[in-house]
């Protein structure tokens, strides 16, 4: 990549949206062939919630919604890297409107939603393959570990989550 995408400068450039959604915060390397097994998407939100069977299981105010997927080679080290990046990513505006503040610095909220479909591979055929996604049992263990570690970060506001493996409905107002 020639440069990092700046959402303020490049507002409205849809060709860059997926680059931001799969930003280096979710990768150990910028090189596509050396991507980290764990994949995630971050969305800065004014508020977000997740419901299962019409019951809200998690809700946040200003902060980050993270869709988190786990691949076969993932481990706690990969998830710790993503958690550290997530809470320290400077994507919130300071008093001058510059993106200089992290989730921790604003005591923002974090909503964590498991999302194996991040591993959908639709390069061949018309139906995505999810072979690269981790099997449910170890993926749930990593997901729960991620939530536990996030809740241990005292500088954060509310840490909420969905229910692993459930049919979740996510609602958000992006920021």
């Amino acid at each position: 990549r020639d440069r990092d995408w700046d959402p303020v400068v490049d507002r409205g450039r849809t060709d860059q949206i997926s680059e931001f959604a799969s930003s280096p915060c979710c990768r150990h390397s910028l090189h596509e062939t050396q991507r980290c097994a764990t994949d995630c998407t971050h969305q800065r939100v004014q508020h977000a919630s997740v419901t299962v069977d019409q019951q809200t299981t998690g809700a946040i105010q200003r902060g980050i919604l993270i869709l988190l997927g786990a691949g076969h080679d993932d481990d706690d080290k990969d998830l710790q890297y993503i958690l550290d990046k997530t809470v320290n990513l400077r994507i919130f505006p300071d008093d001058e409107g510059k993106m200089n503040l992290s989730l921790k610095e604003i005591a923002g909220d974090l909503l964590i939603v498991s999302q194996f479909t991040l591993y959908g591979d639709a390069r061949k055929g018309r139906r995505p393959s999810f072979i690269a996604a981790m099997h449910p049992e170890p993926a749930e263990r990593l997901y729960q570990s991620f939530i536990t570690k996030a809740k241990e970060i005292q500088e954060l506001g509310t840490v909420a989550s969905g229910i692993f493996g459930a049919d979740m409905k996510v609602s958000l107002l992006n920021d």
Side-chain angles (χ1 to χ4, degrees), residues 2 5 14 26-27 36 60 62 67 71-72 98 109 117 165:
D2 295 337
W5 178 60
T14 56
C26 299
R27 310 210 188 281
C36 169
I60 63 168
R62 184 178 185 216
L67 302 178
H72 290 295
K98 294 182 181 181
D109 297 345
T117 60

Side-chain angles (χ1 to χ4, degrees), residues 63-148:
I64 293 176
L65 162 66
I66 181 170
L67 302 178
L68 184 67
H72 290 295
D73 296 331
D74 282 351
D75 58 24
D76 287 318
K77 203 166 139 182
D78 294 319
L79 292 179
Q80 187 63 51
Y81 172 83
I82 287 176
L83 182 57
D84 289 341
K85 261 313 190 182
T86 300
V87 300
N88 291 301
L89 201 61
R90 295 179 356 172
I91 60 172
F92 292 93
D94 60 16
D95 292 337
E96 296 176 9
K98 294 182 181 181
M99 292 187 1
N100 268 336
L101 301 176
S102 70
L103 188 65
K104 285 169 63 173
E105 291 170 317
I106 67 161
D109 297 345
L110 182 63
L111 178 57
I112 306 161
V113 177
S114 63
Q115 190 71 30
F116 79 94
T117 60
L118 291 171
Y119 280 91
D121 183 354
R123 289 179 290 180
K124 294 181 182 178
R126 295 178 187 251
R127 184 177 312 170
S129 167
F130 298 103
I131 291 173
M134 184 179 278
H135 292 286
E137 295 80 19
E140 183 174 11
R141 183 192 62 75
L142 286 177
Y143 175 69
Q144 294 301 335
S145 174
F146 189 89
I147 293 166
T148 299

